[in-house]
Amino acid sequence: MNLVNLKDASDKVNFAEAVKKGLGKNQGLYFPEEIIPFENIDEVLALPFVERSIRILKQLIGDELPEELLSKIVTTAFQFGAPLVSVTENIYSLELFHGPTLAFKDFGGRFMAQVLANISKGEPITILTATSGDTGAAVAHAFHGINNIQVVILYPKGKISPLQAKLFTTLGGNIHTVAIEGDFDGCQQLVKAAFDDPEVRDGLHLNSANSINISRLLAQVCYYFEAVAQLPKKQQDKAVFSIPSGNFGNLTAGMIGKSLGLPIKRFIAATNLNDTVPRYLKTGEWTPKSTIATISNAMDVSQPNNWPRIEALIEQGYIDKDSLIGEAVDEEYTQVAMRQLASLGYVSEPHAAIGYRSLSRSLAGDEVGVFLGTAHPAKFRETVENVLGQPISLPQPLADCVGKPDFSVDIENSYEALKSHMFSILK
Ligand SMILES: *Cc1c(COP(=O)(O)O)cnc(C)c1O
């Protein structure tokens, strides 16, 4: 598989290099040189999840990873399913929270960890990543205990739910967590600065496990196929996907799925008040505002870093721009949607509720809607309990880490502070 830097077409790499580097020159994103659609999509849809996922990843990655290795990687990474649950007659939730950290990021995180562990052949690597919540947990769990890989996770102090934080700050070992005085965009700026600093980038063999890493996106393509495969046959070509979005990795993955021939009718980019993309789709003007803290905090992103890939998918003719609309949902309607879902017998959390709300507003009579259930409601227990007025019990992975000590270190929002911290712990 060849990937081209979207900021510099002369920077072309193979899959392994793209996974190791994360970002290309000038902080450009890597994008597949070509996406070849399946000839027979029904045959692919008929396969069981893991087998189908191996086929999808082989179609994308090509012969670069031997089939046996790819098969081992996928089998190790995807040890949990993605059930499609019916919420109303024509609306489904694709539940992506049955992995160890209860959010969709387990799919990409675990696939990436297995790929890196297998292609790095023991050479030292430092993963540096910023998280607005769920990435940190997924990456931490996915890499925990992999010998040659150290992980540094930055997160905005006090801006993610305490339960969510517990999932990644309590692991220790090769997992180092840093609370930054600032918001998620600030954390992302620090990560970018580190990648621009050769002393850190080369000295510590930096890699970012953010959703900018192509391996995470490719893994996520697999569950869009799984969703369509679970739909009743006569609904399979009518699906509208509503994607609760922050950095827009999930939407990018869905669009890569459609480019492979998956019959997705159209997409809804659903955001909270951080609505840079919905405003852009309506007005054509890219005018990010400062980030607003919301109850769907994993989507509190005003400068989504995967957006250039979506533009590329449209510009290169894989995706028709009319098959994407944007919807922004404010705090009040996020809660209204959570209550509506509960009255339908489906307890959900703010991110998925935004997907549901955006879908129910725009779904036509002859369409079937799928919103992504991006996280387990217990991960946002305080909010869910407040909004629904009913107790939420903790699933095992969360219950297990509640009483464990927190290994995080606080640092100010400054690159120099981060740099000296990293050298002090990673020497
Ligand atoms: C990460 C995350 C999102 C946003 O996904 P992107 O791929 O960054 O757009 C939405 N919901 C939850 C629960 C998340 O963890």
Side-chain angles (χ1 to χ4, degrees), residues 83-233:
L84 190 70
V85 174
S86 167
V87 173
T88 71
E89 212 170 295
N90 62 345
I91 293 185
Y92 298 84
S93 167
L94 179 65
E95 293 191 344
L96 301 172
F97 49 73
H98 297 285
T101 72
L102 309 170
F104 77 84
K105 295 189 174 80
D106 281 325
F107 286 95
R110 289 170 63 90
F111 178 69
M112 179 179 174
Q114 290 306 314
V115 169
L116 257 189
N118 279 284
I119 62 177
S120 64
K121 303 191 177 80
E123 68 204 45
I125 294 173
T126 303
I127 303 281
L128 173 64
T129 193
T131 184
S132 53
D134 296 328
T135 295
V139 166
H141 278 259
F143 285 94
H144 190 215
I146 297 182
N147 271 336
N148 55 316
I149 304 181
Q150 299 291 317
V151 179
V152 179
I153 295 172
L154 310 186
Y155 66 99
K157 187 176 181 182
K159 295 217 166 68
I160 66 179
S161 101
L163 263 175
Q164 223 181 0
K166 276 280 180 187
L167 271 170
F168 62 94
T169 57
T170 56
L171 288 168
N174 63 331
I175 310 299
H176 313 275
T177 52
V178 182
I180 302 286
E181 303 282 352
D183 59 21
F184 174 66
D185 288 318
C187 295
Q188 274 201 145
Q189 291 308 319
L190 292 178
V191 170
K192 284 189 175 164
F195 276 89
D196 269 350
D197 179 348
E199 204 187 331
V200 172
R201 184 186 63 222
D202 304 334
L204 298 176
H205 307 280
L206 275 201
N207 185 305
S208 165
N210 265 355
S211 57
I212 48 182
N213 195 291
I214 195 71
S215 61
R216 287 187 42 182
L217 292 182
L218 299 192
Q220 290 172 238
V221 173
C222 300
Y223 52 65
Y224 285 89
F225 279 75
E226 177 66 356
V228 173
Q230 289 176 71
L231 282 172
K233 261 261 171 291

Side-chain angles (χ1 to χ4, degrees), residues 184-345:
F184 174 66
D185 288 318
C187 295
Q188 274 201 145
Q189 291 308 319
L190 292 178
V191 170
K192 284 189 175 164
F195 276 89
D196 269 350
D197 179 348
E199 204 187 331
V200 172
R201 184 186 63 222
D202 304 334
L204 298 176
H205 307 280
L206 275 201
N207 185 305
S208 165
N210 265 355
S211 57
I212 48 182
N213 195 291
I214 195 71
S215 61
R216 287 187 42 182
L217 292 182
L218 299 192
Q220 290 172 238
V221 173
C222 300
Y223 52 65
Y224 285 89
F225 279 75
E226 177 66 356
V228 173
Q230 289 176 71
L231 282 172
K233 261 261 171 291
K234 60 179 192 318
Q235 295 187 332
Q236 284 187 345
D237 55 354
K238 298 183 178 135
V240 177
F241 276 79
S242 177
I243 327 271
S245 295
N247 264 318
F248 284 79
N250 235 342
L251 179 60
T252 308
M255 288 186 161
I256 295 174
K258 185 167 161 67
S259 310
L260 282 171
L262 186 65
I264 292 174
K265 193 174 164 205
R266 61 188 182 90
F267 294 98
I268 302 170
T271 70
N272 60 25
L273 290 171
N274 297 288
D275 60 349
T276 307
V277 167
R279 283 188 293 111
Y280 173 71
L281 291 173
K282 275 179 199 114
T283 66
E285 279 168 47
W286 187 261
T287 47
K289 300 176 183 168
S290 45
T291 310
I292 302 166
T294 72
I295 56 172
S296 50
N297 57 41
M299 301 176 2
D300 291 350
V301 181
S302 56
Q303 307 202 42
N305 59 17
N306 269 300
W307 189 254
R309 286 182 167 134
I310 290 176
E311 300 250 276
L313 283 159
I314 294 170
E315 271 161 25
Q316 296 182 20
Y318 292 108
I319 297 292
D320 181 346
K321 78 174 190 332
D322 296 332
S323 66
L324 173 64
I325 62 162
E327 290 278 350
V329 180
D330 69 14
E331 294 289 89
E332 186 188 338
Y333 276 103
T334 303
Q335 299 182 36
V336 167
M338 288 169 68
R339 290 192 203 100
Q340 268 169 0
L341 282 168
S343 74
L344 292 164

